[in-house]
Amino acid sequence: MHKKFYSNGKLLITGEYLILDGAKGLAVPTKFGQYLKITPISEGKLVWKSLDEKNNVWFESSIQLEFFQSKKNTANSANTILNTLLKILQEAKKMNPSFLSDSNGYTVETTLTFPRNWGLGSSSTLINNIAQWAEVDAYQLLWNSMSGSGYDIACAKHNTPITYHLEHHTPAVVSTNFDPPFKNNLYFIYRNQKQDSREGIANYRKRNFDLETAKAKISTLTTQISACKALKEFEHLLDMHESILSDIIQIPTLKESLFSDYDGGIKSLGAWGGDFILATGSPEHMHYFREKGYPTIVPYTHMVL
Protein backbone atom coordinates (compact mmCIF):
# COMPACT_ATOMS: atom_id res chain seq x y z
CA MET A 1 0.00 0.00 0.00
CA HIS A 2 1.43 3.34 -0.92
CA LYS A 3 1.10 6.49 1.18
CA LYS A 4 0.71 10.01 -0.21
CA PHE A 5 1.37 13.34 1.49
CA TYR A 6 0.94 16.92 0.30
CA SER A 7 2.16 20.31 1.54
CA ASN A 8 1.29 23.85 0.42
CA GLY A 9 3.81 26.33 -0.90
CA LYS A 10 4.16 29.77 0.71
CA LEU A 11 4.62 33.48 0.25
CA LEU A 12 5.54 35.87 3.06
CA ILE A 13 3.64 39.13 2.62
CA THR A 14 5.03 41.00 5.65
CA GLY A 15 7.78 40.44 8.19
CA GLU A 16 10.76 39.55 6.01
CA TYR A 17 13.99 39.19 7.98
CA LEU A 18 12.47 40.42 11.24
CA ILE A 19 10.25 37.33 11.46
CA LEU A 20 13.45 35.45 12.40
CA ASP A 21 13.67 37.59 15.54
CA GLY A 22 10.06 37.34 16.68
CA ALA A 23 8.26 39.98 14.61
CA LYS A 24 4.76 39.05 13.49
CA GLY A 25 4.44 38.34 9.75
CA LEU A 26 1.51 37.74 7.40
CA ALA A 27 1.98 34.66 5.20
CA VAL A 28 -0.23 32.97 2.64
CA PRO A 29 -0.30 29.32 1.52
CA THR A 30 -0.30 28.93 -2.25
CA LYS A 31 -2.41 26.81 -4.58
CA PHE A 32 0.91 25.29 -5.62
CA GLY A 33 2.78 22.76 -3.50
CA GLN A 34 4.51 19.38 -3.44
CA TYR A 35 3.39 15.73 -3.23
CA LEU A 36 5.31 12.86 -1.68
CA LYS A 37 4.35 9.30 -2.61
CA ILE A 38 5.85 6.31 -0.79
CA THR A 39 5.57 2.72 -2.09
CA PRO A 40 7.12 -0.22 -0.16
CA ILE A 41 9.59 -2.50 -2.00
CA SER A 42 11.36 -5.66 -0.88
CA GLU A 43 14.91 -4.32 -1.30
CA GLY A 44 16.64 -2.44 1.52
CA LYS A 45 16.96 0.92 -0.18
CA LEU A 46 15.20 4.18 -1.00
CA VAL A 47 14.75 4.63 -4.73
CA TRP A 48 14.17 8.37 -4.89
CA LYS A 49 12.81 10.36 -7.82
CA SER A 50 11.89 14.07 -7.84
CA LEU A 51 9.64 15.42 -10.59
CA ASP A 52 8.97 19.02 -11.54
CA GLU A 53 5.63 20.54 -12.52
CA LYS A 54 6.02 19.15 -16.06
CA ASN A 55 6.74 15.65 -14.74
CA ASN A 56 10.41 15.90 -15.76
CA VAL A 57 12.85 14.19 -13.40
CA TRP A 58 15.16 16.81 -11.84
CA PHE A 59 16.77 14.59 -9.21
CA GLU A 60 17.07 10.85 -8.63
CA SER A 61 19.12 8.66 -6.37
CA SER A 62 19.24 5.22 -4.80
CA ILE A 63 20.15 5.23 -1.09
CA GLN A 64 20.89 2.06 0.87
CA LEU A 65 18.92 1.91 4.14
CA GLU A 66 22.15 0.82 5.88
CA PHE A 67 23.26 4.44 5.53
CA PHE A 68 20.68 5.44 8.14
CA GLN A 69 21.56 2.69 10.61
CA SER A 70 25.05 4.03 11.30
CA LYS A 71 25.38 7.02 13.60
CA LYS A 72 28.69 7.96 11.96
CA ASN A 73 27.44 8.45 8.45
CA THR A 74 27.46 12.00 7.22
CA ALA A 75 26.28 13.21 3.87
CA ASN A 76 29.38 14.14 1.89
CA SER A 77 28.29 13.65 -1.70
CA ALA A 78 29.37 16.19 -4.32
CA ASN A 79 25.64 16.50 -5.03
CA THR A 80 24.27 19.25 -2.77
CA ILE A 81 20.66 18.17 -3.39
CA LEU A 82 21.50 14.65 -2.22
CA ASN A 83 23.36 16.04 0.82
CA THR A 84 20.35 18.13 1.81
CA LEU A 85 17.97 15.19 1.38
CA LEU A 86 20.19 12.85 3.42
CA LYS A 87 20.48 15.44 6.19
CA ILE A 88 16.67 15.82 6.41
CA LEU A 89 16.14 12.04 6.45
CA GLN A 90 18.90 11.50 9.04
CA GLU A 91 17.45 14.16 11.33
CA ALA A 92 13.96 12.64 10.94
CA LYS A 93 15.40 9.26 11.95
CA LYS A 94 17.12 10.77 15.00
CA MET A 95 13.76 12.22 16.05
CA ASN A 96 11.93 8.92 15.44
CA PRO A 97 14.37 5.95 15.54
CA SER A 98 11.73 3.57 14.16
CA PHE A 99 11.66 5.59 10.88
CA LEU A 100 13.46 3.70 8.07
CA SER A 101 14.39 0.95 10.52
CA ASP A 102 12.99 -2.18 8.84
CA SER A 103 14.85 -4.14 6.19
CA ASN A 104 12.47 -3.29 3.37
CA GLY A 105 12.78 -0.06 1.44
CA TYR A 106 10.59 2.26 -0.61
CA THR A 107 10.27 3.95 -3.91
CA VAL A 108 9.76 7.62 -3.15
CA GLU A 109 8.40 10.08 -5.68
CA THR A 110 8.11 13.80 -5.04
CA THR A 111 6.17 16.03 -7.45
CA LEU A 112 6.22 19.81 -7.43
CA THR A 113 3.22 21.63 -8.89
CA PHE A 114 5.20 24.86 -9.44
CA PRO A 115 8.47 25.66 -11.25
CA ARG A 116 11.42 25.02 -8.91
CA ASN A 117 12.87 28.50 -9.43
CA TRP A 118 9.68 30.22 -8.23
CA GLY A 119 10.82 30.06 -4.61
CA LEU A 120 7.47 28.91 -3.25
CA GLY A 121 9.06 26.42 -0.88
CA SER A 122 10.47 23.30 -2.53
CA SER A 123 12.46 22.67 0.69
CA SER A 124 9.74 23.51 3.23
CA THR A 125 7.13 21.40 1.43
CA LEU A 126 9.61 18.50 1.32
CA ILE A 127 10.42 18.84 5.03
CA ASN A 128 6.74 18.97 6.00
CA ASN A 129 5.99 15.91 3.83
CA ILE A 130 8.92 13.93 5.28
CA ALA A 131 7.83 14.97 8.80
CA GLN A 132 4.35 13.56 8.11
CA TRP A 133 5.87 10.33 6.78
CA ALA A 134 8.29 9.99 9.73
CA GLU A 135 5.62 11.15 12.23
CA VAL A 136 7.84 13.85 13.69
CA ASP A 137 7.43 17.58 14.38
CA ALA A 138 7.98 19.50 11.12
CA TYR A 139 9.24 22.71 12.77
CA GLN A 140 11.85 20.78 14.74
CA LEU A 141 12.85 18.86 11.62
CA LEU A 142 13.37 22.18 9.80
CA TRP A 143 15.54 23.57 12.61
CA ASN A 144 17.53 20.35 13.03
CA SER A 145 18.28 20.00 9.32
CA MET A 146 18.29 23.58 7.99
CA SER A 147 17.26 26.92 9.49
CA GLY A 148 14.56 29.56 9.17
CA SER A 149 11.69 31.06 11.12
CA GLY A 150 9.28 28.21 10.34
CA TYR A 151 6.54 30.35 8.75
CA ASP A 152 6.93 28.26 5.58
CA ILE A 153 6.18 25.08 7.56
CA ALA A 154 3.08 26.78 8.98
CA CYS A 155 1.91 27.57 5.42
CA ALA A 156 2.61 23.97 4.38
CA LYS A 157 0.12 22.86 7.06
CA HIS A 158 -2.53 25.62 6.90
CA ASN A 159 -5.12 26.20 4.17
CA THR A 160 -5.78 29.83 5.08
CA PRO A 161 -3.61 32.95 5.38
CA ILE A 162 -1.88 33.10 8.75
CA THR A 163 -0.04 35.46 11.03
CA TYR A 164 3.11 33.90 12.40
CA HIS A 165 5.66 34.81 15.01
CA LEU A 166 8.16 33.06 17.23
CA GLU A 167 7.47 33.35 20.94
CA HIS A 168 10.45 32.08 22.95
CA HIS A 169 11.45 30.01 19.90
CA THR A 170 7.97 28.46 19.73
CA PRO A 171 5.79 29.01 16.62
CA ALA A 172 2.65 31.06 17.27
CA VAL A 173 0.33 30.56 14.30
CA VAL A 174 -3.07 32.23 13.94
CA SER A 175 -5.40 31.67 10.99
CA THR A 176 -6.51 35.02 9.66
CA ASN A 177 -9.34 35.86 7.28
CA PHE A 178 -7.08 38.01 5.10
CA ASP A 179 -9.32 38.24 2.03
CA PRO A 180 -9.06 41.87 0.88
CA PRO A 181 -11.96 43.26 -1.15
CA PHE A 182 -9.32 44.56 -3.59
CA LYS A 183 -7.67 41.15 -4.12
CA ASN A 184 -8.37 41.40 -7.87
CA ASN A 185 -5.97 44.35 -7.85
CA LEU A 186 -3.10 42.29 -6.40
CA TYR A 187 -0.51 40.52 -8.57
CA PHE A 188 2.61 38.49 -7.94
CA ILE A 189 5.35 39.28 -10.45
CA TYR A 190 8.26 36.88 -10.85
CA ARG A 191 11.62 38.61 -11.06
CA ASN A 192 13.40 35.61 -12.57
CA GLN A 193 16.25 36.21 -10.16
CA LYS A 194 17.00 33.78 -7.37
CA GLN A 195 18.04 35.48 -4.16
CA ASP A 196 20.23 33.54 -1.75
CA SER A 197 18.25 33.80 1.49
CA ARG A 198 21.31 32.96 3.58
CA GLU A 199 23.25 35.84 2.04
CA GLY A 200 20.32 38.20 2.65
CA ILE A 201 20.02 37.05 6.27
CA ALA A 202 23.79 37.43 6.80
CA ASN A 203 23.56 41.01 5.52
CA TYR A 204 20.59 41.68 7.84
CA ARG A 205 22.50 40.23 10.82
CA LYS A 206 25.39 42.65 10.23
CA ARG A 207 23.18 45.72 10.59
CA ASN A 208 23.07 47.81 13.72
CA PHE A 209 19.56 48.97 14.57
CA ASP A 210 17.02 49.04 17.38
CA LEU A 211 15.57 45.54 17.02
CA GLU A 212 12.74 45.89 19.54
CA THR A 213 11.44 49.10 17.95
CA ALA A 214 11.67 47.62 14.44
CA LYS A 215 9.88 44.43 15.54
CA ALA A 216 7.08 46.44 17.14
CA LYS A 217 6.62 48.58 14.01
CA ILE A 218 6.56 45.58 11.65
CA SER A 219 4.21 43.59 13.91
CA THR A 220 1.82 46.56 14.01
CA LEU A 221 1.98 46.92 10.22
CA THR A 222 1.28 43.19 9.85
CA THR A 223 -1.88 43.59 11.94
CA GLN A 224 -2.95 46.66 9.94
CA ILE A 225 -2.23 45.07 6.55
CA SER A 226 -4.09 41.88 7.56
CA ALA A 227 -7.20 43.91 8.41
CA CYS A 228 -6.97 46.49 5.60
CA LYS A 229 -10.10 46.99 3.47
CA ALA A 230 -9.07 49.91 1.21
CA LEU A 231 -6.54 49.65 -1.61
CA LYS A 232 -5.03 53.15 -1.12
CA GLU A 233 -4.46 52.48 2.57
CA PHE A 234 -2.98 49.06 1.73
CA GLU A 235 -0.51 50.71 -0.69
CA HIS A 236 0.45 53.25 1.97
CA LEU A 237 1.08 50.47 4.53
CA LEU A 238 3.20 48.53 2.02
CA ASP A 239 5.30 51.67 1.43
CA MET A 240 5.81 52.10 5.18
CA HIS A 241 6.89 48.45 5.50
CA GLU A 242 9.34 48.79 2.58
CA SER A 243 10.79 51.96 4.04
CA ILE A 244 11.44 50.37 7.47
CA LEU A 245 13.19 47.37 5.91
CA SER A 246 15.16 49.57 3.51
CA ASP A 247 16.53 51.60 6.45
CA ILE A 248 17.55 48.43 8.30
CA ILE A 249 19.25 46.49 5.49
CA GLN A 250 20.60 49.60 3.75
CA ILE A 251 19.24 48.62 0.35
CA PRO A 252 16.96 50.95 -1.66
CA THR A 253 13.36 49.77 -1.99
CA LEU A 254 12.51 47.95 -5.18
CA LYS A 255 10.29 50.81 -6.25
CA GLU A 256 13.13 53.30 -5.84
CA SER A 257 15.65 51.16 -7.68
CA LEU A 258 13.62 49.61 -10.51
CA PHE A 259 10.05 50.86 -10.73
CA SER A 260 10.13 54.51 -9.64
CA ASP A 261 7.73 55.55 -12.44
CA TYR A 262 5.07 52.98 -11.47
CA ASP A 263 2.05 54.55 -9.81
CA GLY A 264 0.78 51.48 -7.94
CA GLY A 265 2.18 49.83 -4.82
CA ILE A 266 5.20 47.51 -4.96
CA LYS A 267 6.59 45.30 -2.22
CA SER A 268 9.50 42.88 -2.02
CA LEU A 269 8.62 39.46 -0.61
CA GLY A 270 10.96 37.28 1.43
CA ALA A 271 14.70 37.89 0.93
CA TRP A 272 15.03 41.21 -0.89
CA GLY A 273 16.13 40.92 -4.49
CA GLY A 274 14.68 37.65 -5.70
CA ASP A 275 11.66 35.54 -6.55
CA PHE A 276 8.25 37.28 -6.47
CA ILE A 277 7.20 40.82 -5.73
CA LEU A 278 3.69 41.99 -4.87
CA ALA A 279 2.25 44.76 -7.05
CA THR A 280 -1.10 46.54 -6.93
CA GLY A 281 -2.88 47.61 -10.08
CA SER A 282 -5.28 46.64 -12.85
CA PRO A 283 -4.78 44.09 -15.66
CA GLU A 284 -3.79 47.04 -17.88
CA HIS A 285 -1.12 48.11 -15.38
CA MET A 286 0.56 44.73 -15.80
CA HIS A 287 1.72 45.72 -19.32
CA TYR A 288 4.22 47.98 -17.53
CA PHE A 289 5.98 44.94 -16.03
CA ARG A 290 5.84 42.91 -19.24
CA GLU A 291 7.49 45.77 -21.11
CA LYS A 292 10.20 45.83 -18.44
CA GLY A 293 10.91 42.15 -19.11
CA TYR A 294 8.84 40.42 -16.41
CA PRO A 295 6.35 38.22 -18.30
CA THR A 296 5.43 35.88 -15.39
CA ILE A 297 2.57 37.63 -13.62
CA VAL A 298 0.25 35.61 -11.39
CA PRO A 299 -3.02 37.20 -10.16
CA TYR A 300 -3.50 36.93 -6.39
CA THR A 301 -6.57 34.72 -6.84
CA HIS A 302 -4.59 32.24 -8.99
CA MET A 303 -1.77 32.06 -6.47
CA VAL A 304 -3.25 32.13 -2.97
CA LEU A 305 -5.14 29.16 -1.59
Side-chain angles (χ1 to χ4, degrees), residues 92-165:
K93 181 157 179 63
K94 280 184 201 164
M95 292 167 73
N96 177 5
S98 66
F99 178 54
L100 301 179
S101 61
D102 52 10
S103 55
N104 293 340
Y106 304 90
T107 61
V108 184
E109 190 174 275
T110 70
T111 309
L112 287 166
T113 67
F114 58 89
R116 280 175 64 213
N117 57 357
W118 275 16
L120 295 184
S122 42
S123 300
S124 54
T125 51
L126 176 67
I127 287 172
N128 193 60
N129 282 338
I130 289 174
Q132 291 178 81
W133 176 24
E135 298 179 349
V136 298
D137 181 86
Y139 296 105
Q140 206 54 56
L141 182 56
L142 168 75
W143 294 325
N144 291 359
S145 58
M146 300 173 93
S147 62
S149 71
Y151 87 86
D152 45 4
I153 297 293
C155 285
K157 298 169 174 293
H158 284 76
N159 295 329
T160 62
I162 56 166
T163 60
Y164 181 94
H165 70 280

Side-chain angles (χ1 to χ4, degrees), residues 125-277:
T125 51
L126 176 67
I127 287 172
N128 193 60
N129 282 338
I130 289 174
Q132 291 178 81
W133 176 24
E135 298 179 349
V136 298
D137 181 86
Y139 296 105
Q140 206 54 56
L141 182 56
L142 168 75
W143 294 325
N144 291 359
S145 58
M146 300 173 93
S147 62
S149 71
Y151 87 86
D152 45 4
I153 297 293
C155 285
K157 298 169 174 293
H158 284 76
N159 295 329
T160 62
I162 56 166
T163 60
Y164 181 94
H165 70 280
L166 288 169
E167 209 167 293
H168 310 300
H169 305 291
T170 302
V173 189
V174 179
S175 287
T176 172
N177 56 357
F178 179 66
D179 185 28
F182 48 82
K183 64 186 173 190
N184 289 334
N185 295 105
L186 302 181
Y187 293 86
F188 296 104
I189 294 153
Y190 182 60
R191 285 196 59 206
N192 198 21
Q193 202 174 323
K194 196 78 185 135
Q195 178 65 16
D196 185 333
S197 299
R198 273 171 299 200
E199 200 180 291
I201 290 165
N203 176 44
Y204 161 73
R205 290 273 179 241
K206 278 188 223 145
R207 301 295 161 197
N208 221 335
F209 62 97
D210 182 339
L211 177 60
E212 291 311 312
T213 301
K215 272 166 54 175
K217 283 181 181 171
I218 291 296
S219 295
T220 299
L221 280 172
T222 292
T223 302
Q224 292 171 326
I225 287 169
S226 303
C228 189
K229 298 290 181 231
L231 182 59
K232 276 286 166 234
E233 185 198 350
F234 185 76
E235 290 170 343
H236 173 63
L237 294 169
L238 293 188
D239 285 347
M240 286 172 68
H241 192 294
E242 286 285 271
S243 170
I244 292 167
L245 259 294
S246 174
D247 287 347
I248 290 171
I249 60 175
Q250 300 290 296
I251 295 174
T253 68
L254 209 55
K255 192 159 189 183
E256 285 166 347
S257 57
L258 285 180
F259 308 116
S260 57
D261 55 342
Y262 184 67
D263 58 7
I266 286 181
K267 185 178 179 309
S268 290
L269 303 176
W272 276 34
D275 299 335
F276 282 93
I277 60 173

